[in-house]
Amino acid sequence: MKRLLKSLVTISALSSLIVAPFLLSASQASAETKKGTDASYIGAGVAGGVTSGGQGINDDATFGGNVTGRVKLGTTPFSARGNVLWSDKTSAIIPEVSVDVPIANRTNAYLTGGYSFVEKDGSPTPIGNKDSVVLGAGIESEVANNFLVYTNAKVGLGAYQNSDTPAVSINGGLGYRFK
């Protein structure tokens, strides 16, 4: 019986020595949780279409600009976003919802889903020349007090007239935090 008790104490002590570092590192990791950013902001920058619809008329890759806004939805990982991508011909208005993932202090990665409304169907924008479902991914980071930089890629599904080629736009800019 004494031998069994001694074995149990030895096993418990060794188990504690093995498990303790994992518990300490887990509590340390949770103390260093990535905060990300909860900024609501509005920004402006450039937008570049990198695909064409292949038809040759009003569906070439187009360079333009963007205005982007984000409103954080409480303590959830979701945000409401709005974008306007324009060219010298017309613009596309894109309301979106995003899932935001903190990846570093004051920095988020995000995935978006929304719909593009082209103001003049058939005229080129950086995200195609007709209304379409839009999926996207991006990164935003606070770089100074009340200022952020953002970049994202958007894919318009079926965003060209007479073509099922997806439209791809790369966007970036500088934002001002209002909340």
Side-chain angles (χ1 to χ4, degrees):
M1 183 71 154
K2 235 181 193 184
R3 191 177 238 182
L4 179 62
L5 189 56
K6 201 178 220 184
S7 294
L8 288 174
V9 169
T10 304
I11 290 171
S12 294
L14 287 173
S15 297
S16 296
L17 288 174
I18 292 169
V19 171
F22 292 106
L23 292 176
L24 290 174
S25 68
S27 66
Q28 206 171 25
S30 68
E32 297 172 6
T33 301
K34 296 174 182 160
K35 183 181 180 293
T37 180
D38 62 353
S40 292
Y41 65 89
I42 187 155
V46 296
V50 295
T51 57
S52 72
Q55 302 301 313
I57 300 172
N58 287 330
D59 66 355
D60 290 336
T62 303
F63 185 77
N66 78 71
V67 172
T68 297
R70 173 192 187 218
V71 175
K72 179 75 171 115
L73 299 176
T75 59
T76 70
F78 301 103
S79 295
R81 295 177 184 266
N83 304 270
V84 177
L85 306 182
W86 71 84
S87 69
D88 61 342
K89 305 282 187 216
T90 192
S91 60
I93 300 166
I94 310 168
E96 297 175 304
V97 174
S98 70
V99 176
D100 310 318
V101 180
I103 59 172
N105 189 31
R106 299 170 55 157
T107 303
N108 290 340
Y110 56 90
L111 298 173
T112 63
Y115 198 81
S116 170
F117 298 93
V118 175
E119 289 188 300
K120 287 174 29 183
D121 271 355
S123 295
T125 73
I127 193 73
N129 64 6
K130 74 171 194 167
D131 298 354
S132 68
V133 171
V134 175
L135 303 175
I139 296 176
E140 59 201 1
S141 184
E142 293 185 68
V143 293
N145 192 23
N146 293 328
F147 290 95
L148 296 93
V149 292
Y150 63 90
T151 185
N152 58 62
K154 297 189 182 305
V155 178
L157 306 176
Y160 292 111
Q161 289 183 342
N162 304 316
S163 175
D164 58 358
T165 303
V168 177
S169 176
I170 307 295
N171 314 288
L174 179 65
Y176 181 76
R177 179 183 184 130
F178 61 84
K179 181 178 173 194

